[in-house]
Amino acid sequence: MTEEQPTTGADDTIDEGEIAADYIEGLLDIADFDGDIEIEQTDARTTIKVGEAGDDLGGLAEPTVVAALQDLTRLAVQQQSGGFSRLVLDVAGSRDARAQALQAVVDEAAAAIVGGAPRVALEPMSSYERKLVHDLVREHGLESESEGEGAERHIVIVPA
């Protein structure tokens, strides 16, 4: 019995998008969900989109489930490729929904800072979410920094 090798591109690199899509497709089959899978590749990272906003994929689009599926998919890619994976998973528009929720959190925190709060600490979040928040905070003309380690890493917003 031979093990199937991951797909390689013209530059002989492993296609993490294909590995991730295959893994997600297998999970969808097990859960008996239908969902189109798209692979979007940029220089910085690969995004796997499962379904579209409003698709009924049960609870798979819930933020904690998406985060867990993303971690599992990254592990599957890392196991097959032997390298670190920075892929992002978007289930039924969950990424846009989370970005909107983070915008609301930042807007509320910015209002608190303008109202005189010396600093506002946000809940722990992933590195991708922290990057989005740092960008949103800058748009408000405020400053932010990450504090904490591991699962407790979070952003603190302060006046500029």
Side-chain angles (χ1 to χ4, degrees):
M1 182 175 196
T2 61
E3 189 173 311
E4 188 174 315
Q5 293 298 312
T7 307
T8 59
D11 62 355
D12 205 32
T13 59
I14 294 174
D15 188 345
E16 77 174 2
E18 288 296 327
I19 297 169
D22 289 346
Y23 181 76
I24 293 293
E25 185 174 6
L27 288 176
L28 290 175
D29 287 346
I30 290 168
D32 199 25
F33 286 121
D34 290 323
D36 292 333
I37 299 174
E38 281 183 44
I39 303 168
E40 291 183 2
Q41 182 68 49
T42 65
D43 290 339
R45 69 179 72 231
T46 301
T47 299
I48 306 298
K49 291 188 171 192
V50 181
E52 296 181 16
D55 283 358
D56 182 15
L57 292 173
L60 293 182
E62 295 297 321
T64 55
V65 176
V66 172
L69 287 173
Q70 179 172 282
D71 287 345
L72 288 171
T73 305
R74 284 178 175 171
L75 287 172
V77 169
Q78 288 172 203
Q79 181 183 31
Q80 287 191 37
S81 70
F84 181 73
S85 173
R86 294 179 41 102
L87 72 87
V88 173
L89 182 62
D90 182 3
V91 179
S94 61
R95 204 166 147 209
D96 288 339
R98 183 63 176 149
Q100 290 174 354
L102 290 172
Q103 178 70 61
V105 167
V106 170
D107 290 348
E108 186 177 316
I113 296 291
V114 169
R119 59 182 290 188
V120 176
L122 305 181
E123 82 250 7
M125 58 187 73
S126 71
S127 61
Y128 177 76
E129 292 172 331
R130 287 193 309 274
K131 193 244 183 270
L132 288 177
V133 170
H134 286 301
D135 292 345
L136 293 169
V137 168
R138 260 193 308 280
E139 289 175 12
H140 279 280
L142 301 171
E143 293 184 7
S144 59
E145 57 188 41
S146 293
E147 292 182 356
E149 297 296 324
E152 295 303 313
R153 193 136 175 94
H154 62 280
I155 290 179
V156 175
I157 301 172
V158 296

